[in-house]
Structures are given as C-alpha cells and as structure tokens.
Amino acid sequence: MTLFLGLGIAGVALLALSLVFDGILEGLFEGLLEGLFSGLVSLPVIAGFLSMLGFGGAIVLGTTGAGTLVATVAGAAAGVAAALLTWKFSRALMRDQTDSTPRGEDLVGTSGSVVTAIPADGYGEVLLRLGGHLVKLSARSTVPVARGAEVWVEASLSSTSVSVRPVER
C-alpha cells in the first residue's frame, strides 16, 4: 500500500514540476525519436500514468481482497488510460489556435470618427475599430478636421497615433 501511495504522490509531484519543466523530455529525445511518439513521452503524460498507477493500485489493494499483482495490473490499466487521456487533451489544446493579435498596421484603410478636433499639422483624437473593439487614438492630419467628421486612416505613426484624412463624399 505504501509503495502505491508513494507512486501516486510522486506522480502528482511530477505533474506539478511539469508546469515548469514540460518539454525537457521532448528536447532530450528530439533527434533520437523525431516524431515517433509525438508527445507520448512528455512529463504530463508520464505524471498521469505514474499517479494513476499508484492511486489506482492503492484503491484496488485497499478495497478488495486481491493481492499486489492484481492491484498492480489494475493500477497500470488506470495509468495507461490516464496517460492516453492526458496525451489526447494536450494535443487538442496545442492545436487550439487563436486569431493573430491586431497591430497598428491593421488600421490602415479603416474609417473612424473624430472625437477631438484635429488642427492642421496638429493632434486630435479619433475613434476607430480594431479587432472588433473601439479604440481611441491620437490622430494627425495635414488639414483641420472638425469633431464628428468621418476620417480615413492613411498610416500608423506609432502604437497610439495614426495619420488620417477626412472622407470626402
């Protein structure tokens, strides 16, 4: 029983360490096993196997009258199941891709409205849509633009300012 509980605790400790050191085993076997196991030899997978081997074996040993061999086989089966689930979930999470982060260059060509009047060759403020969100940025224009006017972004000057021109209809 003590051995099984020790294995279970070691698996949980290894899982905690994998939060910091995950990827080490893949790096060690990178040239040797290039894509052969594709994530099966990782710290979370090994930790899942080890902890379920230990805790599963302890549960079977403590709740049934079966011997150590039956408890080991049952724990190993639970460990394999936990390892496969961990591997599947980690692969699914790694495939989950998000859209790229919007950048200032993405603003070029968009329209917006002036919220603070822009003097000629001076700065005012405009309200623009970036990535589905309203963003208020400093704006510069070569001609004066009144508050409420619609503008077109010509260039991104910095992360907080743009160059605009009024929309002519």
Side-chain angles (χ1 to χ4, degrees), residues 107-124:
L107 288 170
V108 176
T110 62
S111 64
S113 61
V114 177
V115 292
T116 303
I118 306 171
D121 290 324
Y123 281 94

Side-chain angles (χ1 to χ4, degrees), residues 22 24-26 29 33 37-43 45-46 87:
D22 188 30
I24 287 179
L25 291 178
E26 289 92 341
F29 297 121
L33 306 172
F37 294 116
S38 66
L40 269 176
V41 182
S42 67
L43 286 178
V45 171
I46 292 170
W87 178 62

Side-chain angles (χ1 to χ4, degrees), residues 11-95:
V12 171
L14 186 61
L15 183 61
L17 286 174
S18 75
L19 293 173
V20 177
F21 297 112
D22 188 30
I24 287 179
L25 291 178
E26 289 92 341
L28 289 175
F29 297 121
E30 185 175 357
L32 211 71
L33 306 172
E34 193 71 39
L36 184 63
F37 294 116
S38 66
L40 269 176
V41 182
S42 67
L43 286 178
V45 171
I46 292 170
F49 172 78
L50 193 61
S51 62
M52 285 308 292
L53 168 65
F55 291 136
I59 289 170
V60 169
L61 193 61
T63 58
T64 66
T68 307
L69 181 63
V70 174
T72 303
V73 170
V80 167
L84 287 175
L85 283 173
T86 304
W87 178 62
K88 290 274 189 193
F89 284 142
S90 64
R91 286 179 51 97
L93 288 173
M94 294 304 271
R95 281 192 307 265

